[in-house]
Amino acid sequence: MSAPSESSGVDVPYSALSEDALETLITEFVTRDGTDYGTVERTLAEKIADVRRQLERREAKIVFDPETETANIVVGTRR
């Protein structure tokens, strides 16, 4: 899955996704190769909960790229 560029993507409120779709997207994001969470090992459930909180606090957002029909979570987006 290629990451959409923020400028060409469409912001999607996390609340617009079904619970299953949101869980799947977050799980894919946190299990992606190369994802680094520091020196402390965290469980999958902890990582998922962290990303969900970031979405709720608008510290992350979901971006859909209509050209590739893919969605990605972009962190560090607080406005």
Side-chain angles (χ1 to χ4, degrees):
M1 178 195 295
S2 65
S5 70
E6 197 169 332
S7 62
S8 68
V10 177
D11 291 359
V12 177
Y14 74 92
S15 58
L17 274 64
S18 70
E19 189 58 37
D20 286 343
L22 181 60
E23 185 82 10
T24 299
L25 181 62
I26 294 173
T27 300
E28 190 278 329
F29 178 74
V30 301
T31 58
R32 203 173 281 169
D33 286 342
T35 305
D36 183 16
Y37 290 91
T39 58
V40 177
E41 190 64 32
R42 302 181 48 93
T43 67
L44 179 59
E46 290 171 325
K47 293 174 186 178
I48 290 170
D50 286 346
V51 172
R52 186 178 292 268
R53 276 191 296 277
Q54 289 176 326
L55 288 167
E56 291 168 354
R57 293 178 186 156
R58 295 185 182 166
E59 297 168 350
K61 65 182 177 180
I62 298 170
V63 179
F64 177 75
D65 182 350
E67 186 175 309
T68 61
E69 297 184 354
T70 59
N72 193 31
I73 296 174
V74 180
V75 180
T77 62
R78 188 164 203 131
R79 295 178 192 183

